[in-house]
């Protein structure tokens, strides 16, 4: 039996939430057929939002990235990042002191611009940590993996402060067969070692879905049953969409291999409403 295509399924919805990495793009650039698929959604008047756990770049920087790859129609407001959720939290909850972080200066610039001073873990003096009131795992670059992760563990052993994880992804694919450790993986390691509970942002948490849902509804009336969440990862995209109460689609163009999909669905109990090879086909 012919499976319906992404576009046939998407055509029955008013809005589509797309994950970025593994759905729109991968280590090679845009996934084949994606610009045409996005164009078809636009022609049908289907609203698009991109929900990404990439906290290393702002909405503007991500939109610019898509533009350079050839996706010219993506607007800033259509992109929702886990970094934005972490930023909101910090703005409302951490009102004094300095925020320590592990990550690049660029991600610190846009996530930590809440008026408070921020300080990279490498610049923290462990004998002078009275004014550090929160710590953030931002991204997987911009620090020394040996020295700075150990220093983070020591800081968090000495001082009990809220710890925020701006991107909960544990791994990301860097080639057809290989993955690299992402921020969420480092945070999980430290969390396990210290037996503490960190505050994790990004899919599958509902904040991003709620934010996207509220933002979308400024442009019309969208009910949850009129929205489709599309992603390549069961534990983030599909689980998050299922928890939020929208329909979900697993695509096999990224993290989940076609020959493993059924076994992973069985083992995890995370059941997508639809499965397609890619949004580009
Ligand atoms: Mg993905």
């Amino acid at each position: 039996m012919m499976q319906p295509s992404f576009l046939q399924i998407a055509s029955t919805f008013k809005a589509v939430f797309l994950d970025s990495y593994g759905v729109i793009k991968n280590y090679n650039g845009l996934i084949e057929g994606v610009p045409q698929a996005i164009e078809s959604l636009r022609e049908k008047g289907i609203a698009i939002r991109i929900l990404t756990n990439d906290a290393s770049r702002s909405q503007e920087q991500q939109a610019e990235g898509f533009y350079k790859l050839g996706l010219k129609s993506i607007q800033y407001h259509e992109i929702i990042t886990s970094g934005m959720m972490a930023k909101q939290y910090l703005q409302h909850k951490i009102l004094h002191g300095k925020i320590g972080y592990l990550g690049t200066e660029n991600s610190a610039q846009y996530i930590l611009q809440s008026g408070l001073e921020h300080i990279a873990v490498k610049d923290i003096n462990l004998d002078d940590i009275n004014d550090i009131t929160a710590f953030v795992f931002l991204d997987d670059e911009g620090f020394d993996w040996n020295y700075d992760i150990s220093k983070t563990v020591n800081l968090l052993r000495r001082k009990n402060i809220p710890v925020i994880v701006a991107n909960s992804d544990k791994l990301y694919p860097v080639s057809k067969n290989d993955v690299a450790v992402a921020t969420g993986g480092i945070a999980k390691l430290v969390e396990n070692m210290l037996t503490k509970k960190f505050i994790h942002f990004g899919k599958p948490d509902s904040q991003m879905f709620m934010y996207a849902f509220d933002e979308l509804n400024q442009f019309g009336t969208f009910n949850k049953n009129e929205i489709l969440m599309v992603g390549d990862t069961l534990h983030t995209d599909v689980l998050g969409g299922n928890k939020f109460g929208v329909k979900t689609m697993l695509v096999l163009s990224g993290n989940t291999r076609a020959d493993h999909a059924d076994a992973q669905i069985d083992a995890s109990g995370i059941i997508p409403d639809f499965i397609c090879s890619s949004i580009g086909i």
Side-chain angles (χ1 to χ4, degrees):
M1 197 185 77
M2 272 287 283
Q3 296 282 342
S5 70
F6 162 72
L7 277 175
Q8 284 169 325
I9 295 164
S11 300
T12 65
F13 291 88
K14 270 175 79 174
V16 174
F17 290 175
L18 298 169
D19 172 39
S20 175
Y21 209 84
V23 175
I24 296 174
K25 61 179 184 176
N26 62 19
Y27 51 86
N28 268 333
L30 286 184
I31 290 171
E32 204 186 332
V34 164
Q36 296 87 328
I38 300 276
E39 214 33 60
S40 299
L41 294 177
R42 299 272 191 221
E43 280 165 17
K44 294 176 201 293
I46 298 167
I48 298 168
R49 294 295 181 275
I50 297 169
L51 278 66
T52 174
N53 280 4
D54 179 357
S56 65
R57 293 180 304 150
S58 67
Q59 283 172 303
E60 289 79 3
Q61 289 169 328
Q62 309 236 13
E64 203 177 300
F66 286 129
Y67 190 90
K68 279 186 189 147
L69 288 174
L71 266 189
K72 314 244 172 195
S73 72
I74 308 292
Q75 310 283 312
Y76 297 168
H77 75 91
E78 292 177 314
I79 302 172
I80 293 116
T81 76
S82 60
M84 291 161 60
M85 305 301 106
K87 180 177 171 178
Q88 255 190 354
Y89 171 91
L90 291 165
Q91 278 172 337
H92 292 128
K93 191 100 172 160
I94 309 296
L95 302 175
H96 62 89
K98 279 186 199 169
I99 301 171
Y101 72 91
L102 198 64
T104 59
E105 181 58 31
N106 179 57
S107 53
Q109 289 278 333
Y110 96 90
I111 293 176
L112 305 180
Q113 57 185 216
S114 59
L116 293 181
E117 217 179 302
H118 50 266
I119 178 165
V121 72
K122 70 171 186 315
D123 299 324
I124 293 176
N125 173 0
L126 285 181
D127 294 322
D128 180 19
I129 53 174
N130 277 337
D131 53 352
I132 303 206
T133 49
F135 190 85
V136 191
F137 287 84
L138 286 172
D139 57 50
D140 53 89
E141 288 173 32
F143 57 88
D144 182 281
W145 280 57
N146 180 21
Y147 184 76
D148 289 334
I149 294 175
S150 293
K151 197 169 172 189
T152 300
V153 170
N154 281 303
L155 169 69
L156 299 177
R157 269 164 56 95
R158 289 190 193 194
K159 190 149 192 209
N160 202 17
I161 47 177
V163 181
I164 292 96
V165 184
N167 170 1
S168 309
D169 286 3
K170 296 188 187 72
L171 302 167
Y172 62 95
V174 288
S175 70
K176 190 163 182 294
N177 295 310
D178 295 330
V179 295
V181 177
T183 330
I186 305 167
K188 202 79 207 160
L189 180 81
V190 176
E191 197 173 19
N192 287 343
M193 282 188 293
L194 295 173
T195 62
K196 293 198 179 197
K197 282 272 170 260
F198 296 170
I199 302 162
H200 293 260
F201 288 95
K203 298 165 288 183
D205 267 9
S206 293
Q207 290 114 328
M208 262 170 84
F209 290 89
M210 242 179 274
Y211 186 99
F213 185 70
D214 289 345
E215 197 273 343
L216 183 65
N217 271 291
Q218 293 175 14
F219 295 82
T221 306
F222 296 83
N223 297 311
K224 285 187 180 178
N225 60 11
E226 295 169 318
I227 300 170
L228 174 68
M229 171 71 210
V230 182
D232 67 316
T233 308
L234 286 170
H235 284 91
T236 55
D237 310 311
V238 177
L239 178 60
N242 284 352
K243 281 206 287 190
F244 189 64
V246 295
K247 286 274 197 285
T248 52
M249 178 190 284
L250 177 71
V251 288
L252 307 173
S253 48
N255 262 337
T256 310
R257 286 173 46 165
D259 53 346
H260 291 173
D262 286 342
Q264 285 185 15
I265 292 167
D266 271 352
S268 64
I270 302 167
I271 307 166
D273 295 291
F274 308 98
I275 303 177
C276 275
S277 54
S278 155
I279 69 165
I281 296 169

